[in-house]
Amino acid sequence: MQIAEVIVDIPTRQTNNPYSYSIPENLSDQIQPGMRVQVPFGPRKVTGFVVGITDHSEFNGQLKNLSSLVDLSPVVTPELLALSHWMAARTFSFEINCLQTMLPGGMRTKFRKKLLANDSVRDAYPQIFHGENEVDYDRQHFDSRTIALILKLRRADKIQVHYELAHHSKPLLMKAYTNQLSAKALQAAISGVSKRAIAQRRLLLMLHEQPTRAFLRTELAQVGVGRSVIKTALEKGWVKQTNVRRNRNPFFQPVKKSLPLDLNDDQRVAVKTIDQAIEQQTDTTFLVEGVTGSGKTEVYLQAMAHALKIGKTALMLVPEITLTPQIVGRIRSRFGDQVAMLHSAMSNGERYDEWQRISSGQAKVVVGVRSAIFAPLKNIGLIIMDEEHDGSYKQTDDPRYQTRDVAKWRAAYNHCPVVLGSATPSLESRARAMKGVYHLITLPHRFNNHALPHVTVVDMKREIAHNHSILSKELATLIADRLVKKEQIILMLNRRGYSSFIMCRDCGYVPQCPNCDISLTMHKDTQTLNCHYCGHREPIPTVCPKCHSKRIRHYGVGSQQLEEQVKEQFPNARVLRMDVDTTRKKGSHEAIINQFGAHKADILLGTQMIAKGLDFPDVTLVGVLNADSSLQFPDFRSSERTFELLTQVSGRSGRADKTGEVIVQTFNPDHYAIQLAKTQDYEKFYQTEMRVRHLGKYPPYYYTIKITGNSPSEKQTAYEMHQIAKYLRNHLTDAAIVLGPTPKTIKRIDNRYYYQIIIKYRKEPALTQSLDTILTNYQSKQRHDFYIAIDNEPLDFM
């Protein structure tokens, strides 16, 4: 008897130990690991993943049978199954959550399965297809014997399975026409058609040359075979009309073929070193540290080309959706239709179609954001993480994985190198490179030896004494100069909305979110006060609700207000704004970037999403308007984030032949992060910041864990978190540092109270077991609306 080991999805009773179910005899040898099944669990049926097949079980009682199949073929590869097991242990989460994370959005929601067959298979199995080439697969409509037959046909590749998403997405179907005549009848039809019926003869000749092909209506129209000719062909029985599926195309713009660029000496060494690792199939982790504009992308492209040349596939990750259009454009220009794209701004249908192209082997190169690390690529030859330092590579929801760690695991599984690239590597990565854990490759010069931009730091404490504009006089003067020269400008203000908050000048009242412990942000375009945490909105008051004064003023500056003032100060300038509010619509990121790239705008302003990776040759001026905003956060990484952001945004200026300039406006001009970003002196920043981390016992000198608890009751949250802290102090050694519990920086979000515990340690043999015990035991508390989350190596302690 065959037994399936199944990880089931049971809220409040999750476990990483699979349950055993017997496989009915008619499905024996058909079920494979990676399929989803429906199984009985208590009085109900639940969905689970088959993670193993065995012939024995430690359970002594009578095993229950599998109820039915959800999939007819594995949706998770053996590699990703093994990865899910590792991830669950690494991230202190449940394996079912890891497996669900790996599937594209549409497959995690509602879907309908279709069975597709050609004419011969259709006619051979009328009990399945009933004379149709495409039928719905509904488990309830087939008996067990028919399901076993379907599985055999699927494993023999005689039928195909397609998923239709049940909500917004529907399959894209196009009308097509197939030949209905024998070779002899076709010859007779061609001979019988008048020579003046050119389009009819053309259609018949096409059918004669490719008698088994389905011709799309759009293809026929392009060669002059119009609707009237098709109507005639249908009436005469020459062709039969069918519907053909077409994959959704997530790419908005066509691209021109490009050729590899000539490399400088540093780039040649980098490419040669990476190529050798690809050929030797070693899982070396390379840290490519290159100044902004040093040509890291060209290094990636040529290394990827080498992987493809020797029959491998390649995966490239970028941190932001905003970077995807430019990067994907360059990669598509080099590798064409072999490229697939994955990111959250795509529709469920687009993501599933791309996932299917990758899974089937049609796509050899995948480009995407964090979740693309789970792309079902096979035979991977190279994994690249661009801007590896970026915080968006850390998943903040369960499972809380660090993409860099997952990339290294997949590299070890596939025996291929990982390339981590950045102008400002994370301290953890650089420390590993200094210890020889990573192989350091440096690109210290800009491509074609272009000079780094000149950076000027403006002290806003002095500036506001005689200038109340958002823009310093120096920055305003340079903007005017660049507009005259027809050059482009990027302005970054890392705060969305119009103003940070509004306040009554008489009584000091500041409107607060009713659900969160935070003030509301003013949005002038919608005339509302918004909470950026829970989404609460309310109208902007004209009278103070506390003292009824009309002296209500706004304070602080957001990207909306910056746009308004720039347009007022430079009325002839064409201005684009890129932030969360202007990029909600599908394709808006790409539209803004293409507009600016086509020189249809002079000034691009926005939040930090414009700071990284973008390459515009005509940008010669970058202005940073609140350089020290990230320094204000009470977090040990605030200096590192400030240095990274300033260095990255400065690197957008002067990337081609024109000299670049950067103006950094700050109230903390002497802070070492700002001064060292001015000269892009990463080496000195690394040494300075490492001393600070050592004194504070922070990463990379100590490992860290953050445990967060939340519930609607502050009293309950505090009590449960104190119990957890007590348990940890009793089970860990005295060398472990257990901090808290303390309220989070913003204690209440969406009417839930958040407390956290921080653990800092070097070696704790009992830590993993203790955290697993806490994770398992506290599931029962979910019934009382108390939830905990364990974050291994968190990016912040806020």
Side-chain angles (χ1 to χ4, degrees), residues 716 719-720 777-788:
Q716 180 191 10
Y719 172 79
E720 298 292 356
N777 291 348
Y778 269 82
Q779 285 191 88
S780 60
K781 299 288 184 180
Q782 294 178 22
R783 298 191 184 98
H784 306 291
D785 213 4
F786 175 76
Y787 291 83
I788 68 161

Side-chain angles (χ1 to χ4, degrees), residues 17 52 102 137 160 184 221 258-259 275 324 340 421 445 447 473 479 511 548 553 597 623 683 736 748:
N17 295 319
M102 294 173 180
Y137 173 71
Q160 290 181 296
K184 187 176 180 180
S258 69
L259 297 174
D275 286 353
T324 314
H445 308 293
F447 191 68
K473 286 186 177 179
I479 291 173
H548 308 295
R553 301 291 182 267
E683 298 304 318
R748 183 173 60 105

Side-chain angles (χ1 to χ4, degrees), residues 10 90 100 219 247 274 360 401 449 460 500 539 611 671 703:
I10 305 292
R90 173 78 179 181
Q100 290 169 338
E219 291 177 320
N247 279 347
I274 297 167
S360 66
Y401 62 89
N449 290 316
M460 293 303 289
S500 304
H671 194 283
Y703 298 110

Side-chain angles (χ1 to χ4, degrees), residues 476-646:
T477 301
L478 288 173
I479 291 173
D481 173 71
R482 296 311 192 270
L483 292 173
V484 170
K485 293 178 179 177
K486 306 295 184 185
E487 295 172 357
Q488 291 179 297
I489 302 122
I490 288 178
L491 300 176
M492 189 191 78
L493 176 66
N494 201 20
R495 185 183 294 128
R496 57 187 269 239
Y498 189 84
S499 293
S500 304
F501 62 95
I502 65 171
M503 185 176 75
C504 173
R505 295 283 299 267
D506 288 339
C507 71
Y509 169 78
V510 176
Q512 300 283 312
C513 175
N515 309 315
C516 311
D517 289 338
I518 195 167
S519 59
L520 295 170
T521 301
M522 175 182 170
H523 285 246
K524 194 173 183 181
D525 56 347
T526 57
Q527 288 295 303
T528 56
L529 298 175
N530 296 2
C531 175
H532 292 167
Y533 284 85
C534 72
H536 170 81
R537 283 189 175 194
E538 59 186 57
I540 299 172
T542 55
V543 176
C544 174
K546 190 174 182 181
C547 72
H548 308 295
S549 167
K550 293 186 178 181
R551 284 166 39 93
I552 295 178
R553 301 291 182 267
H554 56 79
Y555 295 87
V557 179
S559 53
Q560 287 181 12
Q561 189 176 164
L562 173 62
E563 179 185 26
E564 182 183 279
Q565 292 204 17
V566 167
K567 286 180 176 178
E568 186 178 313
Q569 199 163 343
F570 303 99
N572 296 323
R574 298 166 300 171
V575 181
L576 286 172
R577 173 164 60 92
M578 182 183 264
D579 56 24
V580 172
D581 300 309
T582 62
T583 54
R584 294 187 192 281
K585 290 184 180 178
K586 181 177 172 60
S588 52
H589 292 96
E590 188 167 358
I592 293 172
I593 288 168
N594 289 338
Q595 247 185 299
F596 193 64
H599 225 305
K600 294 179 181 177
D602 306 301
I603 301 173
L604 174 65
L605 61 86
T607 53
Q608 68 174 3
M609 63 171 61
I610 66 172
K612 313 155 195 168
L614 299 178
D615 191 350
F616 301 108
D618 286 329
V619 171
T620 59
L621 175 63
V622 166
V624 185
L625 278 71
N626 58 344
D628 40 23
S629 61
S630 53
L631 287 175
Q632 300 164 9
F633 290 106
D635 188 73
F636 74 96
R637 294 186 196 270
S638 59
S639 295
E640 183 180 11
R641 289 200 183 99
T642 300
F643 177 83
E644 288 170 351
L645 190 58
L646 293 181

Side-chain angles (χ1 to χ4, degrees), residues 655-717:
R655 294 178 69 87
D657 297 327
K658 299 171 185 175
T659 304
E661 195 150 1
V662 180
I663 299 294
V664 176
Q665 297 183 179
T666 175
F667 288 91
N668 295 279
D670 298 324
H671 194 283
Y672 67 91
I674 291 173
Q675 284 298 318
L676 294 174
K678 175 181 175 180
T679 55
Q680 293 204 17
D681 192 343
Y682 178 82
E683 298 304 318
K684 192 168 183 181
F685 175 80
Y686 170 75
Q687 294 163 11
T688 305
E689 186 67 10
M690 286 291 277
R691 286 196 294 270
V692 173
R693 299 283 183 90
H694 187 264
L695 289 170
K697 297 181 178 179
Y698 290 119
Y701 293 100
Y702 275 68
Y703 298 110
T704 55
I705 298 282
K706 179 170 71 173
I707 305 174
T708 307
N710 72 87
S711 81
S713 163
E714 183 176 8
K715 183 178 179 181
Q716 180 191 10
T717 304

